[in-house]
């Protein structure tokens, strides 16, 4: 009898520790526990289990929210682009219908014209040579033929002259086009060249406005840079949107400055700077590309900054 | 702004407000995904996928149930599918040493310092070693048992809410929790925790 009761009590214990036991059963349970050591132990164990499991909480990554939002934004952008495309698709049947009807109307018009022209040409011989032969006025016919050939020769000459003019014009246009094409090529080459990832350490007088805003120091000096000797502005970038991070370094004494980007496998992905520098504040922009100019995949990248014998390590996150 | 109003505005096109939902539920969703999928990488991917799913389906949410319940249902289903996918791809799930939320521990320690009279010496601090063992043993439970235990004890949901999410009756939820805890206790006995 007691075991049956204990079995019921055990079930009640779970409801009790979950705060879901009704007051009447709670009294029964507490009364039973005060007398039954086994059930008391069981309650303690179950409370412990519940407590242990409840403690299995991990801290979510600090960047999870921005990762989710950027994914949604990316999806929205794709949808927008697809929307424009779909709009085109919805208009396509109407457009194709219009084009088709135009073609049909056009071809009907042409066919009709051809037929009427044919009719005319078919009528002509009926009217002229045969009738002329019938009237046996051969000379007239000859004269007519001669004048016709003369006029056709004239027409041909005019055509040849016209063709020449057209040819010359085309040559000019072609040469102009070729010129613009070559100019364009030169322009594209220069653009291509300028797009190549070239990094240089430019000296900045004091701190740029962007940086000052980001670290919220309106003055020209930057305590963070003074203290750390290297700071990174905008350390979460989306290279696809052309975002970049600014790596700032402060060189106190003339020293060799090296800035290398490593991935999480500690593999060098970009060697940004390796130069001898005079004292001053320097900055370099990194567009999330490797040394050959390819955009890097999502993840954490380590920025290794060496100023003389001092080494500073920073992180940059690439999101897409 | 209450949730109903928030959803109304998101449905009307104020999608920037979705960040509020992400902010409110990211912790529970990530924790659930982590308890279920057991690696940081998979939990991260699943959390992202869950919120994108919520975002894509928010127009279908009619407010018949609570937003939290709806989000949990999506979370549970997606984690279940993801687990199948992972098991198929990786074979066995790779265990890793979890980074437990230390902030919580500090708060609890602070609380214990405040309420010295009420403290229960053995229960109030759980070392990372114990957490690792409990975490590992939980994987040995059946999927259903693990699910109810995560929803009840980690996420803190009521029996009714768990029932709605898992489409089970309250009594079925109760007996699953009962069996899950007993099963876990038996496993932990072998580790000399009890």
């Amino acid at each position: 009898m007691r075991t049956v009761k204990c079995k019921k009590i055990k079930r009640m214990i779970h409801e009790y520790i979950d705060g879901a036991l009704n007051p009447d059963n709670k009294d029964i349970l507490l009364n039973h526990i005060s007398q039954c050591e086994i059930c008391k132990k069981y309650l303690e164990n179950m409370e412990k289990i519940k407590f242990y499991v409840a403690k299995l909480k991990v801290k979510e990554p600090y960047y999870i929210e921005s990762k989710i939002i950027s994914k949604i934004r990316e999806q929205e952008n794709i949808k927008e682009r697809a929307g424009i495309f779909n709009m085109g698709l919805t208009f396509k049947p109407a457009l194709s219908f219009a084009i088709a009807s135009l073609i049909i109307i056009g071809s009907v018009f042409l066919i009709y014209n051809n037929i009427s022209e044919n009719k005319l040409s078919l009528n002509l011989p009926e009217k002229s040579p045969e009738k002329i032969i019938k009237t046996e006025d051969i000379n007239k016919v000859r004269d007519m033929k001669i004048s016709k050939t003369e006029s056709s020769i004239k027409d041909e000459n005019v055509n040849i002259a016209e063709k020449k003019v057209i040819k010359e014009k085309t040559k000019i246009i072609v040469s102009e086009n070729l010129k613009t094409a070559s100019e364009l090529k030169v322009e594209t080459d220069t653009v291509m060249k300028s797009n190549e990832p070239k990094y240089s350490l430019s000296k900045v007088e004091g701190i740029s406005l962007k940086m000052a805003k980001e670290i919220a120091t309106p003055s020209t000096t930057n305590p963070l840079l003074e203290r750390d000797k290297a700071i990174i502005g905008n350390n979460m970038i989306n290279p696809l949107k052309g975002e970049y991070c600014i790596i700032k370094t402060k060189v106190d004494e003339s020293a060799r400055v090296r800035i290398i980007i490593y991935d999480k496998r500690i593999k060098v992905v970009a060697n940004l700077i390796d130069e001898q520098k005079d004292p001053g504040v320097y900055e370099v922009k990194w567009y999330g590309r490797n040394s050959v100019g390819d955009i890097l995949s999502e993840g954490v990248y380590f920025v290794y900054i060496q100023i003389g014998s001092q080494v500073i390590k920073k992180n940059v996150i690439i999101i897409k | 702004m209450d949730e109903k109003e928030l959803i109304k505005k998101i449905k009307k096109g104020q999608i920037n407000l979705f960040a509020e939902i992400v902010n409110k539920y990211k912790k529970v969703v990530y924790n659930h995904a982590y308890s279920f999928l057991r690696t940081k990488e998979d939990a991260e991917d699943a959390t992202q996928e869950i919120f994108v799913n919520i975002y894509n389906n928010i127009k279908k949410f009619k407010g018949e149930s609570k937003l939290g319940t709806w989000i949990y249902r999506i979370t549970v289903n997606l984690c279940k599918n993801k687990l199948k996918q992972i098991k198929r791809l990786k074979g066995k799930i790779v265990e890793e040493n979890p980074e437990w939320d230390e902030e919580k521990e500090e708060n609890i320690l602070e609380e214990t310092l405040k309420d010295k009279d009420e403290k229960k010496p053995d229960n109030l601090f759980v070392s990372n070693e114990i957490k690792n063992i409990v975490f590992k043993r939980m994987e040995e439970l059946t999927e259903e048992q693990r699910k109810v235990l995560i929803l009840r004890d980690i996420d803190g949901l009521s029996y009714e809410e768990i029932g709605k999410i898992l489409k089970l009756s309250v009594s079925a939820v109760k007996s699953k929790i009962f069996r899950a805890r007993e099963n876990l206790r038996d496993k932990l006995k072998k580790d000399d925790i009890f």
Side-chain angles (χ1 to χ4, degrees), chain A residues 48-59:
Chain A
K48 222 172 174 180
I49 290 271
K50 185 181 163 67
F51 191 76
Y52 286 163
V53 176
K55 289 283 153 253
L56 300 181
K57 276 185 180 158
V58 280
K59 201 168 165 53

Side-chain angles (χ1 to χ4, degrees), chain B residues 14-185:
Chain B
Q14 292 189 35
I15 49 174
N16 53 328
L17 291 175
F18 188 73
E20 279 188 36
I21 290 179
V22 176
N23 195 27
K24 192 175 176 187
Y25 290 96
K26 64 180 180 190
K27 204 172 186 70
V28 277
V29 169
Y30 180 80
N31 259 290
H32 187 92
Y34 189 84
S35 316
F36 218 72
L37 306 171
R38 314 180 76 80
T39 69
K40 217 172 158 182
E41 203 187 345
D42 291 330
E44 248 184 73
D45 287 351
T47 308
Q48 194 185 40
E49 225 172 288
I50 289 160
F51 278 106
V52 171
N53 205 309
I54 291 165
Y55 177 80
N56 290 339
N57 291 298
I58 199 126
K59 282 189 178 167
K60 289 180 196 164
F61 176 69
K62 285 168 190 161
E64 286 158 354
S65 58
K66 277 184 185 173
L67 178 70
T69 314
W70 184 66
I71 288 176
Y72 264 112
R73 202 174 290 148
I74 292 176
T75 307
V76 169
N77 289 337
L78 212 136
C79 284
K80 195 181 163 188
N81 293 341
K82 190 109 185 144
L83 187 72
K84 269 186 202 167
Q85 209 180 331
I86 293 163
K87 275 183 177 170
R88 203 170 51 230
L89 289 171
K90 296 183 186 170
K92 212 183 168 190
I93 295 166
V94 185
E95 286 280 350
E96 60 177 33
N97 275 337
E99 286 171 29
W100 301 113
D101 198 349
E102 296 299 331
E103 267 178 39
K104 286 268 168 190
E105 279 307 327
E106 280 165 23
N107 291 342
I108 286 160
L109 283 175
E110 272 174 33
E111 280 166 26
T112 55
L113 289 171
K114 277 179 198 167
D115 311 317
K116 273 186 178 174
D117 300 336
E118 289 175 29
K119 77 170 182 179
K120 295 171 189 173
D122 293 333
N123 280 4
L124 276 167
F125 180 75
V126 184
S127 71
N128 282 351
E129 285 75 24
I130 290 180
K131 282 181 190 172
N132 288 346
I133 294 168
V134 177
F135 187 67
K136 208 174 174 183
R137 293 289 168 235
M138 267 185 77
E139 199 178 356
E140 293 166 17
L141 300 178
T142 65
E143 202 178 302
E144 280 287 296
Q145 287 178 356
R146 189 143 53 97
K147 220 186 283 175
V148 288
L149 221 50
I150 291 168
L151 288 169
R152 175 63 220 139
D153 292 342
I154 299 180
D155 301 338
L157 299 186
S158 68
Y159 293 152
E160 287 78 14
E161 280 171 318
I162 298 169
K164 274 179 195 165
I165 292 162
L166 301 179
K167 290 177 183 162
L168 293 169
S169 67
V170 171
S171 58
V173 173
K174 279 181 194 171
S175 59
K176 275 185 198 297
I177 290 173
F178 168 78
R179 276 193 214 107
R181 283 187 187 140
E182 284 201 342
N183 204 351
L184 188 61
R185 178 206 54 191

Side-chain angles (χ1 to χ4, degrees), chain A residues 101-238:
Chain A
S101 41
L102 268 174
I103 292 166
I104 293 164
I105 293 164
S107 50
V108 165
F109 182 73
L110 282 171
I111 291 162
Y112 176 77
N113 272 357
N114 277 344
I115 291 165
S116 51
E117 268 171 27
N118 284 343
K119 265 184 188 172
L120 215 71
S121 59
L122 280 169
N123 288 340
L124 267 171
E126 273 174 25
K127 272 180 186 174
S128 47
E130 279 169 29
K131 273 186 182 173
I132 292 157
I133 293 161
K134 266 181 189 173
T135 49
E136 293 172 350
D137 199 355
I138 299 155
N139 290 331
K140 215 179 174 181
V141 174
R142 253 182 222 159
D143 289 346
M144 227 183 104
K145 273 187 179 172
I146 289 159
S147 63
K148 207 182 172 185
T149 26
E150 272 176 356
S151 64
S152 60
I153 288 162
K154 251 187 189 175
D155 286 351
E156 269 173 21
N157 284 339
V158 171
N159 280 342
I160 288 161
E162 271 178 5
K163 272 178 188 171
K164 267 186 184 174
V165 172
I166 290 162
K167 254 187 183 177
E168 273 167 16
K169 273 187 181 174
T170 337
K171 262 184 189 174
I172 294 161
I173 292 161
V174 167
S175 63
E176 273 174 3
N177 282 346
L178 279 170
K179 205 183 158 190
T180 37
S182 60
E183 275 169 7
L184 266 172
K185 199 176 178 281
V186 173
E187 273 176 23
T188 4
D189 283 351
T190 47
V191 171
M192 291 280 275
K193 270 176 194 167
S194 63
N195 276 350
E196 275 172 19
K198 274 185 178 176
Y199 299 100
S200 63
L201 212 52
S202 53
K203 192 170 179 177
V204 281
E205 296 300 328
I207 308 295
S208 78
L209 271 169
K210 191 176 182 288
M211 290 303 295
K213 201 181 168 189
E214 278 198 6
I215 53 161
T217 48
S219 60
T220 48
T221 52
N222 188 334
L224 203 66
L225 188 62
E226 289 289 333
R227 196 191 70 195
D228 291 355
K229 304 295 171 207
I231 51 170
I232 295 188
N234 194 17
N235 63 353
M236 194 185 279
I237 56 166
N238 184 349

